[in-house]
Amino acid sequence: MELTGMEGEGRILDGKATAALVRSEVAGEVERLVERGVRPGLAVVLVGDDPASEVYVRNKDRAATEAGIAVRTLRPEATVSQADLEALVSALGVDESVHGILVQLPLPAHLDAAGVVEAIDPGKDVDGLHPLNVAALAMDRPGLVPCTPAGCIELCDRHGIALEGRHAVVVGRSQLVGKPVAQLLLARHATVTICHSRTHDLGAVVSAGDVVVAAVGRAGLIRGEWIKPGATVLDVGINRGSDGKLRGDVELEAARARAGAITPVPGGVGPMTVAMLLKNTCRAAAAASEPVSSSGRTAGAGT
Ligand code: GUN
């Protein structure tokens, strides 16, 4: 579609400010839990020395500490065996001071991430990656939901962006973002299309979206001219260019000229991921301190 000159600048969805609000709410919830004798605890497991992971883990540690959550970062050797890493994660599962466990991904190539994730106690799986939590999301049952997808929905909710009945196009099909965000959007009554880097005529599919979630990990793959005028664009991509700058999966300025609202990179979805991790940790701590429900599962570590 040609630009008519009538388009304005899409509203910037400020993830940093929204995340700060969520984090202050979490800090209040932490205080209430502490009054009840429970200090939420988060264990972060970082294997190896991936520089991006180092930054993410530092941000998570700082944000959790600020919210009053007791954070422990465990750094097994990069050469740790599968069995030893699974044993470490299993031990955290029975540690009553730990309510949330996060194994930072990616893991070094000799390790099987799926096996490690399955060793996480599902009630403490604040990344929502354990098969039981994946199944819970697929079945609209209570469970822990992955942080980045949850952050996308929270951003929409807090900016009055309607999802019901709208066409949401998710670009990307990862376990961490694409698939779960599609399910969350479906649960909110959006009409959802999932596409990816091998989709034929990606531009035509994206241009049908009232809401576009870009989560492919390829800088600028989503062209500004593809965006439907007035659409909401949530850019999950974090790509570091050769100039050292971070860029999203969407051509920000060109897309902004057409979008109704758009998340920047950095400062959009990224900070929401951290905020939702804190929220999940609080939920897990609250659920662990509540009586067990009749189904035998603690309720409330919820959707
Ligand atoms: N690596 C990049 N993003 C994430 C995330 O949200 N969780 C974990 N565990 N690893 C990641």
Side-chain angles (χ1 to χ4, degrees):
M1 192 184 293
E2 289 296 311
L3 285 178
T4 61
M6 296 292 286
E7 291 79 5
E9 293 247 296
R11 172 164 66 126
I12 289 283
L13 300 174
D14 184 346
K16 217 171 151 188
T18 310
L21 197 62
V22 174
R23 283 162 52 182
S24 73
E25 290 168 9
V26 169
E29 179 61 19
V30 169
E31 269 181 36
R32 283 186 285 282
L33 282 165
V34 169
E35 278 164 19
R36 281 173 32 202
V38 181
R39 163 85 55 193
L42 172 65
V44 179
V45 180
L46 174 58
V47 188
D49 53 8
D50 178 68
S53 292
E54 296 270 357
V55 174
Y56 293 144
V57 166
R58 205 179 315 131
N59 288 343
K60 290 169 186 177
D61 188 315
R62 191 182 304 142
T65 304
E66 267 176 37
I69 293 171
V71 199
R72 203 188 309 166
T73 300
L74 299 115
R75 306 191 59 135
E77 294 279 329
T79 54
V80 66
S81 71
Q82 182 79 21
D84 285 352
L85 185 56
E86 288 182 14
L88 170 72
V89 167
S90 298
L92 293 169
V94 292
D95 182 334
E96 288 187 0
S97 70
V98 173
H99 305 100
I101 303 169
L102 180 148
V103 178
Q104 186 68 28
L105 302 174
L107 291 173
H110 70 283
L111 294 167
D112 167 37
V116 177
V117 166
E118 281 172 38
I120 299 174
D121 176 335
K124 299 187 179 186
D125 169 36
V126 283
D127 254 336
L129 293 176
H130 188 283
L132 274 183
N133 284 315
V134 175
L137 179 59
M139 298 169 76
D140 290 323
R141 299 278 297 272
L144 286 160
V145 173
C147 306
T148 302
C152 289
I153 303 295
E154 189 89 15
L155 257 184
C156 289
D157 286 348
R158 292 191 186 237
H159 289 85
I161 292 165
L163 298 171
E164 185 170 339
R166 300 183 81 200
H167 188 176
V169 174
V170 177
V171 193
R173 51 178 159 171
S174 69
Q175 209 59 51
L176 203 55
V177 184
K179 287 183 200 168
V181 83
Q183 286 171 317
L184 289 175
L185 288 161
L186 202 51
R188 298 295 295 272
H189 311 294
T191 300
V192 181
T193 298
I194 304 177
C195 50
H196 44 80
S197 57
R198 296 193 205 179
T199 298
H200 290 181
D201 201 355
L202 187 59
V205 181
V206 170
S207 65
D210 301 310
V211 177
V212 176
V213 182
V216 261
R218 298 220 329 231
L221 178 78
I222 310 299
R223 309 267 292 273
E225 70 212 42
W226 295 351
I227 301 302
K228 181 175 178 176
T232 296
V233 180
L234 305 170
D235 191 349
V236 177
I238 301 178
N239 310 288
R240 194 171 291 279
S242 50
D243 57 1
K245 286 197 179 145
L246 292 183
R247 287 177 65 205
D249 290 349
V250 180
E251 290 180 335
L252 177 61
E253 288 313 322
R256 189 182 178 193
R258 299 174 69 93
I262 188 166
T263 59
V265 176
V269 176
M272 292 301 293
T273 297
V274 178
M276 300 315 283
L277 170 68
L278 309 187
K279 204 162 164 172
N280 273 353
T281 304
C282 244
R283 278 189 181 155
S289 67
E290 277 163 10
V292 174
S293 73
S294 58
S295 68
R297 289 189 62 191
T298 50
T303 48

